[in-house]
Amino acid sequence: DAPVIGFIGRLSGVKRPDRFIAMAEEVAGRHPDAVFLVVGDGEQRTTLEALPRRADVRFLGWRGDVGTIYAAADVVVVTSDNEGMPVTLIEASMAGRTCVTTDVGSAGEVVLDGRTGRVVPREASAVAQAVMELIDDPERRGSLAAAARDHALERFGQDALHSRLVEVVRRGS
């Protein structure tokens, strides 16, 4: 019954897992039963694990079963300072999960703010506010998740990629 919020990525400076932990602390103040999953590894893991905190943050390391993590998560969060095309957001959306992401790189092409998830400024408080809004409104979270899945399949699914590849080949001929 507890809300589950997931982070999947390298535990490195640009991915800002420290921002995820700060967000978790803020969310835990209002939702003390929330569980925060950190999936991935990197140079910041030891430092992050050693931080004192009240939030229930679980460091799971690298996992081959990220589909299980997506299935368990109510919200998937990307807290990066920089991204290209964030695969985590595409995968989570295809898994029918609502995402909250910082407004970086092409994240806004995957998550359409207010339509398939939330795109917020690069501040822990903005991420926390968006996560809490989604936790507090399961109906909205569910409708955003369904829209996220439809959008991801339409834009990034196998059929869409195949069509774009055929178009590239035709133009090159």
Side-chain angles (χ1 to χ4, degrees):
D1 292 333
V4 177
I5 298 91
F7 172 100
I8 299 172
R10 284 188 336 267
L11 303 185
S12 64
V14 73
K15 297 295 186 180
R16 293 300 304 270
D18 61 315
R19 184 178 288 143
F20 180 82
I21 301 298
M23 174 276 304
E25 289 294 296
E26 191 170 335
V27 171
R30 192 158 96 195
H31 295 277
D33 60 333
V35 176
F36 302 88
L37 304 179
V38 177
V39 179
D41 211 342
E43 68 270 7
Q44 292 189 353
R45 182 174 179 174
T46 303
T47 302
L48 294 167
E49 285 180 317
L51 291 173
R53 61 185 171 273
R54 67 176 174 218
D56 182 3
V57 179
R58 301 176 189 184
F59 290 84
L60 305 181
W62 287 116
R63 305 267 310 227
D65 63 339
V66 291
T68 302
I69 304 302
Y70 292 131
D74 294 298
V75 179
V76 174
V77 177
V78 169
T79 54
S80 300
D81 275 339
N82 188 20
E83 284 287 342
M85 181 58 70
V87 174
T88 294
L89 295 176
I90 295 170
E91 291 175 342
S93 296
M94 285 187 171
R97 291 295 168 251
T98 306
C99 297
V100 173
T101 182
T102 48
D103 189 8
V104 294
S106 295
E109 293 179 43
V110 181
V111 177
L112 307 177
D113 189 39
R115 295 174 29 208
T116 67
R118 292 298 318 280
V119 180
V120 300
R122 291 181 289 175
E123 301 163 1
S125 61
V127 178
Q129 185 60 41
V131 167
M132 288 186 287
E133 288 171 7
L134 294 169
I135 290 172
D136 293 339
D137 191 348
E139 189 173 309
R140 180 166 186 246
R141 188 175 70 238
S143 66
L144 290 174
R149 185 173 191 282
D150 291 345
H151 172 69
L153 288 172
E154 180 182 311
R155 182 85 199 275
F156 306 104
Q158 185 175 359
D159 291 341
L161 294 176
H162 179 263
S163 295
R164 284 198 291 271
L165 180 60
V166 167
E167 183 59 31
V168 167
V169 170
R170 282 187 185 145
R171 278 188 270 146
S173 302

